Amino acid sequence: MNNLKNLRGTVDLLPNQLIKWQNVEKIILEQLSRASIKEIRTPILEMTELFIRGIGEGTDVVSKEMYTFLDRGERSCTLRPEGTASVARALIQEGMTSNPLQKIWYMGPMFRYERPQAGRQRQFHQLGVEFIGYESVRSDVEIIALAWDILGKLGIKELNLEINSLGDITDRLNFQESFLKWLERNKDSLDLDSQNRINKNPLRILDSKNIQTKNILENSPKLFNFLSEKSLERYLELKNQLEFLKIPFKENFNLVRGLDYYTHTAFEITSGALGSQATVCGGGRYDNLFKDMGGKDTPAIGFAIGLERLILLAGQELDISRRTDIYIVNQGLLAENFATDLSRKLRKYDLIVELDLSGASFSKQLKKANKLNSKCVIVIGDQEAANKEFVIRLFDKEKSKNTEEAIPFDNYTKLDQWLNNNLLSN
Ligand code: ATP
Ligand code: MG
């Protein structure tokens, strides 16, 4: 038994680490609900087919990174590598008749079979937001602003927003024609992976991480130069609106993003504080996904934020948990019953109450209360149980005063008053 370990690339998040996670999640949830965005939860396990069709066969994610297996019914299943395809499937399946315009978010684990390293795991977490049915440039801007503000609210420094336009299908086909000619001429200088993609999915070559290929691509035709007037206008309007909101951005005509379904706006937010895995947020418009997946023609735009990278970046102040309000030291059979009963009463307030269950000596329990820097201590022993009265003591280090009050177990008014005067008021 003693050599059982977690799978490579997966991690345990321990109670101490989760303080920061929970604080980060709380801020995110507040921002989302203020923007009136609703949550969706789809299954972690899906038919493999969904991702092949949704994300695209020639992508890194589908060709190399999926966790795929046969279930007992010999169906090919995959642990979701991203959220958008599942969201689209769920909405198509549900009919979307009630609400063709939806702003939704999801958060949860994703799975990709990649080489584990700092900021890169096989099970990781993403927050995603999708605006479904929205076509206007304003929706692109709102979604970018939303991501920008979430990252800002979390105190993340050195943020860079990069934008590009991938045009529509026609623009892409026009570009592909000339890009293919260029690829044939430069085939021998490309890495093997990219060579293999020439016939399968040439656009993916633009996304290559191979340094040599990246250098050669500097001189390749640019998709941006093949944008129709309409696509270009859309892109200019996006820039205008971002400027109006004073959200700084850089144009990056090499930005294509790893999944097949993007059209028009593509963006990434990186942080200089992250090192090599610098992308915290990736997003873009995917107007063809719903149709490609058998749904109605539905424009949409979204983004995904990698939570592991976000946690690395978020401010240290988020690593601190709320202080214990009341620590209940207790020992002796009857005393323990009173203590349990009292802890339940106290938890009806917005207070953090720790009931010591150790059965250790009073002095040991008091030491623990001290170590936790609890604001108050209540001690309940045989004597308190016999007198049906306990003493609550407030430690106020800043003002260096200790207030004590004896409160009968059955006098709720007195307890209520004391709590209101000493704990709940500040
Ligand atoms: P990368 O270029 O880093 O591989 P990607 O293009 O594969 O990113 P997306 O599919 O756009 O990433 O996912 C959005 C975000 O999810 C990324 O920006 C990153 O923060 C996070 N992410 C992606 N893969 C991983 C992983 N294996 N471990 C941790 N976070 C990840
Ligand atoms: Mg990747």
Side-chain angles (χ1 to χ4, degrees), residues 273-312:
L274 260 186
S276 58
Q277 312 305 335
T279 310
V280 216
C281 173
R285 179 160 280 287
Y286 49 95
D287 290 344
N288 299 311
L289 180 67
F290 280 81
K291 204 175 50 197
D292 288 353
M293 281 178 45
K296 276 193 290 197
D297 203 352
T298 310
I301 181 160
F303 68 74
I305 288 180
L307 292 185
E308 275 73 12
R309 293 179 202 178
L310 195 63
I311 301 285
L312 283 177

Side-chain angles (χ1 to χ4, degrees), residues 24-43:
V24 166
E25 284 168 13
K26 190 164 163 247
I27 293 175
I28 292 175
L29 261 53
E30 278 168 4
Q31 285 296 102
L32 293 167
S33 83
R34 284 175 189 150
S36 192
I37 300 169
K38 306 287 187 294
E39 186 183 5
I40 190 167
R41 297 188 193 186
T42 60

Side-chain angles (χ1 to χ4, degrees), residues 221-415:
K222 294 280 173 280
L223 170 55
F224 192 82
N225 296 327
F226 288 78
L227 296 190
S228 67
E229 206 158 313
K230 211 167 143 225
S231 300
L232 205 56
E233 240 167 58
R234 195 180 191 289
Y235 178 72
L236 292 178
E237 184 53 31
L238 173 75
K239 291 206 298 178
N240 281 339
Q241 292 190 21
L242 286 173
E243 271 159 19
F244 189 88
L245 297 183
K246 300 196 172 58
I247 297 178
F249 60 86
K250 270 198 289 227
E251 298 175 78
N252 177 356
F253 298 139
N254 288 321
L255 181 84
V256 287
R257 313 226 4 86
L259 319 176
D260 264 0
Y261 46 57
Y262 290 104
T263 49
H264 295 296
T265 306
F267 67 97
E268 272 186 12
I269 303 176
T270 56
S271 168
L274 260 186
S276 58
Q277 312 305 335
T279 310
V280 216
C281 173
R285 179 160 280 287
Y286 49 95
D287 290 344
N288 299 311
L289 180 67
F290 280 81
K291 204 175 50 197
D292 288 353
M293 281 178 45
K296 276 193 290 197
D297 203 352
T298 310
I301 181 160
F303 68 74
I305 288 180
L307 292 185
E308 275 73 12
R309 293 179 202 178
L310 195 63
I311 301 285
L312 283 177
L313 289 168
Q316 277 178 339
E317 69 283 359
L318 294 171
D319 224 342
I320 297 162
S321 60
R322 231 181 99 180
R323 217 172 128 191
T324 306
D325 290 296
I326 303 176
Y327 195 97
I328 307 179
V329 172
N330 61 118
Q331 203 197 56
L333 204 56
L334 190 56
E336 286 169 7
N337 282 336
F338 271 114
T340 309
D341 192 44
L342 181 63
S343 73
R344 295 177 68 209
K345 286 196 183 94
L346 291 170
R347 285 184 191 140
K348 290 183 179 155
Y349 296 85
D350 178 26
L351 291 171
I352 298 181
V353 180
E354 174 139 3
L355 175 64
D356 194 310
L357 295 178
S358 69
S361 68
F362 284 123
S363 66
K364 274 200 178 142
Q365 293 190 35
L366 279 167
K367 256 189 209 151
K368 180 90 190 292
N370 226 332
K371 203 172 152 207
L372 283 178
N373 192 22
S374 173
K375 290 182 196 163
C376 283
V377 168
I378 293 173
V379 178
I380 305 174
D382 293 335
Q383 205 186 328
E384 283 79 8
N387 296 342
K388 298 210 165 59
E389 189 175 85
F390 64 89
V391 171
I392 186 161
R393 199 180 315 143
L394 179 75
F395 296 106
D396 198 337
K397 284 188 185 145
E398 283 131 52
K399 294 176 204 144
S400 71
K401 65 168 187 195
N402 287 353
T403 357
E404 288 192 6
E405 182 87 24
I407 301 174
F409 278 109
D410 55 7
N411 191 339
Y412 301 141
T413 325
K414 197 168 178 192
L415 176 64

Side-chain angles (χ1 to χ4, degrees), residues 13-248:
L13 291 170
L14 302 170
N16 270 340
Q17 296 168 293
L18 282 170
I19 294 169
K20 193 167 186 185
W21 278 78
Q22 289 181 343
N23 286 331
V24 166
E25 284 168 13
K26 190 164 163 247
I27 293 175
I28 292 175
L29 261 53
E30 278 168 4
Q31 285 296 102
L32 293 167
S33 83
R34 284 175 189 150
S36 192
I37 300 169
K38 306 287 187 294
E39 186 183 5
I40 190 167
R41 297 188 193 186
T42 60
I44 285 173
L45 203 54
E46 294 271 5
M47 287 163 63
T48 302
E49 181 70 19
L50 170 66
F51 302 113
I52 296 177
R53 273 180 66 186
I55 302 173
E57 214 147 2
T59 59
D60 272 355
V61 170
V62 170
S63 64
K64 300 190 244 179
E65 298 174 355
M66 293 217 293
Y67 263 96
T68 297
F69 59 92
L70 290 181
D71 73 2
R72 287 166 194 270
E74 307 270 301
R75 285 169 290 249
S76 180
C77 303
T78 295
L79 291 169
R80 64 177 185 196
E82 56 103 56
T84 307
S86 306
V87 170
R89 179 206 43 74
L91 293 182
I92 292 170
Q93 195 173 335
E94 190 247 356
M96 291 179 68
T97 38
S98 56
N99 190 1
L101 292 179
Q102 303 206 34
K103 295 180 180 174
I104 45 186
W105 64 271
Y106 58 82
M107 187 150 57
M110 304 292 162
F111 302 82
R112 295 186 195 177
Y113 199 87
E114 302 194 69
R115 196 171 67 78
Q117 50 190 293
R120 200 176 281 291
Q121 293 167 193
R122 288 182 177 169
Q123 178 177 340
F124 62 103
H125 298 79
Q126 278 184 346
L127 157 74
V129 178
E130 319 282 2
F131 283 6
I132 315 285
Y134 292 86
E135 189 164 25
S136 68
V137 178
R138 290 186 66 199
S139 58
D140 300 31
V141 173
E142 194 186 337
I143 208 133
I144 293 174
L146 191 75
W148 188 258
D149 290 344
I150 286 176
L151 298 173
K153 196 92 188 166
L154 291 169
I156 298 177
K157 308 263 155 47
E158 296 180 57
L159 288 178
N160 309 298
L161 165 66
E162 294 190 354
I163 59 166
N164 188 19
S165 173
L166 308 180
D168 60 17
I169 294 287
T170 322
D171 304 341
R172 290 248 278 264
L173 286 175
N174 290 339
F175 163 70
Q176 193 159 308
E177 204 179 309
S178 106
F179 187 43
L180 275 174
K181 282 185 196 140
W182 181 90
L183 285 170
E184 285 306 334
R185 282 201 303 279
N186 294 277
K187 186 172 176 179
D188 298 337
S189 325
L190 301 174
D191 63 288
L192 265 179
D193 241 8
S194 298
Q195 290 185 15
N196 286 331
R197 280 179 168 153
I198 293 181
N199 297 320
K200 274 198 244 154
N201 196 341
L203 283 182
R204 286 272 64 80
I205 298 173
L206 293 172
D207 201 30
S208 169
K209 303 218 162 70
N210 182 287
I211 303 287
Q212 196 192 332
T213 301
K214 267 182 146 173
N215 285 338
I216 296 163
L217 282 171
E218 295 282 323
N219 304 314
S220 72
K222 294 280 173 280
L223 170 55
F224 192 82
N225 296 327
F226 288 78
L227 296 190
S228 67
E229 206 158 313
K230 211 167 143 225
S231 300
L232 205 56
E233 240 167 58
R234 195 180 191 289
Y235 178 72
L236 292 178
E237 184 53 31
L238 173 75
K239 291 206 298 178
N240 281 339
Q241 292 190 21
L242 286 173
E243 271 159 19
F244 189 88
L245 297 183
K246 300 196 172 58
I247 297 178

